[in-house]
Amino acid sequence: MLNAYHLKSRVNTAFLSVGCDLIVKIFDFLYEKEEGYDAVPLAATLMFCCYVLTWFLQVGNRIDFLGSIRIEFLCAILLILISLISGLKLRLANNPIFYVVIVLIVLMIIQIPLSYVPSHSWDIFYNRVIKFSFMAFFIVIFVKSPRGLIFFLAAFMLACAKMGQEGLVGQITGSMVWENQGIMRLHGSTSLYMHPNSFSGMAIGTLPFIIYLYDKVPLSIKIFFIFMVISSINIILHTGSRTGYVAFIGLLLLVFFRSKNKFKLFFVGLTLVLITVNFTDAQYKGRFESIFTGKEAAGNSSGTRLQIMQDAWDVFVENPFGVGVGAFPAVRIDRFGRFQDIHCLYLEVATNLGIQGFIVFIVFVYKILKTLILLSRKIDNDLYRLDAVNFAVTIDDHKIMMKYNRHIKDLELLKATSNAVFVYISVRLILGLFGQDLYEIYWWVGAGLAIAIFNIYGDSSRKTDEICRLSGVC
């Protein structure tokens, strides 16, 4: 038998071996050259990841010193300088999303001087459109290959995992839980996600990426994803957000109907629902039931929302060309003597930007979703072509097989991310039924990723043609 000393020694040796192997793999990944894609300096990619983490975690609000030096702004300026020095270029030619993005921004600019409160509209446009749109700009600039996409996804998921961990600790300790609308609701740790509805929306937004990337990652990342699922469900459940509950159900239905393995998903989903229901406090069950019954523990938020929507509709009828960017609350005060913003994305777009802005916004979202669907189909076609290569090429064709194996993984990553972004944006549209989300970052993340994947696939499809040509199959 092994004594304690030898057992400890062997465990330490095993951990050291695994750790060294992981470090070697990380360095191999960092410095591995990708043929056929635009090169982005490693330092630029890592700086971009720092920007993503800084933005989503609101590091400037967490650390006073970094907030005082405006760390997010400095990171953005540094990224712009890096892109200029490195000669990195925007690839927007023939992109189906770019032009509608420009039209949407131009419409918002036109609405500023015509606004009911121009100064407030300018403030919203500068702080929540210009600044947020830089996320899309940087994604397109720095995510130019499958490896670049992995870096962004890693930074984004790490930020979401941190917020999920904070929610888990906050729920267990009670430090982030206090009474709201008659129930104890979990709140976020930063101003961006302080409101339970926003915190729930953040948690739901991570799930599409976990679902579609789960089969593409190694075991260690799978364990990390499982932790994220647990923390996300904790947030969705304990924020008591009926908007989140509806969006979560919508997410499950979207994934189910888009899946080819419906039986497995149904079984997993049913198991999760049964476990969740059995361990859910009565106050959250009541909160969910109030969606259908209208009976609330305290207050009358459902009635308030209906009143807001009625006021918004009246304002839209009176001002069909819009009252200006973010100007509805001011109009509502003067017109009805009531203050609260619209709890509906679609009425928010219509009242703020008018019928013309509503049409452009719908086209904007449609272009993103259509592009992602077409990309997924094209990638499927490439994978089908490459199946013939795998069947025809022998193991002795080392050069071809090296290209083939790497390329298959790249295509699978692009497809998984396309599907994840499609569901991510679709879920935001469901959340938008009950929330004012027009000036949020989600649309810029979705647009940036869709444009980046479109560009990466353009290079990737040429690699598919090259492999087929080398193999002599097609």
Side-chain angles (χ1 to χ4, degrees), residues 396-425:
D396 293 330
D397 297 314
H398 183 68
K399 182 179 178 181
I400 298 176
M401 291 306 296
M402 287 276 291
K403 286 178 175 288
Y404 172 86
N405 291 330
R406 173 61 186 270
H407 190 51
I408 288 291
K409 291 181 180 179
D410 290 345
L411 288 173
E412 289 177 344
L413 171 67
L414 292 178
K415 181 182 177 182
T417 309
S418 296
N419 289 333
V421 177
F422 178 90
V423 175
Y424 175 79
I425 292 295

Side-chain angles (χ1 to χ4, degrees), residues 254-274:
L254 272 169
V255 173
F256 177 78
F257 286 113
R258 286 173 58 83
S259 173
K260 296 179 181 178
N261 196 348
K262 291 182 172 57
F263 177 79
K264 178 182 177 181
L265 276 179
F266 177 78
F267 177 77
V268 172
L270 182 62
T271 302
L272 285 174
V273 168
L274 291 175

